[in-house]
Amino acid sequence: MPALRKAARIERLGYGLPAPEPPAEPDDREGDPHVWLDPRKAAQIATHIGEILATIRPEQADLFRARAAEVRGRLEGLDRRAEESLAPVRDVPFVAYHGGLNHLVARYGLR
């Protein structure tokens, strides 16, 4: 990892959400880093990012929280559309080349 400024802050996102979780460490091959493929998890992460930015720049806290709420709303809309679109094929088995779809499969109950 490149050298970071002394004041740099690293935030690990996506942890503490329902499984599958991201890798525990950068070299971890067991975790699944594709947490953003579940719109509900992505919405929670957006809220977390808004709060992090609000603490870093309190004078812009309202802006960061408003933008996070906007992103959350868009992701909730995406989640509803995906749920409706995938419902008819929920029980149709499929094979995926990439294991990164685990979050999507878990979220929508796909086989």
Side-chain angles (χ1 to χ4, degrees):
M1 177 178 283
L4 298 174
R5 287 187 7 203
K6 214 170 210 173
R9 178 175 167 175
I10 297 172
E11 290 287 337
R12 300 189 65 207
L13 302 170
Y15 295 88
L17 300 174
E21 282 200 350
E25 299 296 331
D27 295 333
D28 180 4
R29 299 290 179 231
E30 298 301 315
D32 184 349
H34 302 88
V35 65
W36 48 270
L37 285 172
D38 179 334
R40 287 186 184 178
K41 291 179 182 179
Q44 291 176 355
I45 291 169
T47 299
H48 188 158
I49 290 170
E51 290 303 315
I52 292 167
L53 294 173
T55 63
I56 293 170
R57 297 273 175 119
E59 69 279 7
Q60 293 181 290
D62 290 343
L63 171 67
F64 293 131
R65 289 182 178 122
R67 292 301 296 268
E70 178 186 331
V71 169
R72 223 176 22 255
R74 292 175 68 188
L75 287 165
E76 288 166 359
L78 172 65
D79 182 48
R80 284 189 299 277
R81 290 190 306 278
E83 179 99 46
E84 291 168 7
S85 296
L86 293 171
V89 295
R90 182 168 286 130
D91 294 321
V92 177
F94 74 98
V95 175
Y97 172 73
H98 195 285
L101 294 175
N102 290 338
H103 292 278
L104 184 78
V105 168
R107 165 65 193 103
Y108 299 107
L110 303 175
R111 292 185 44 207

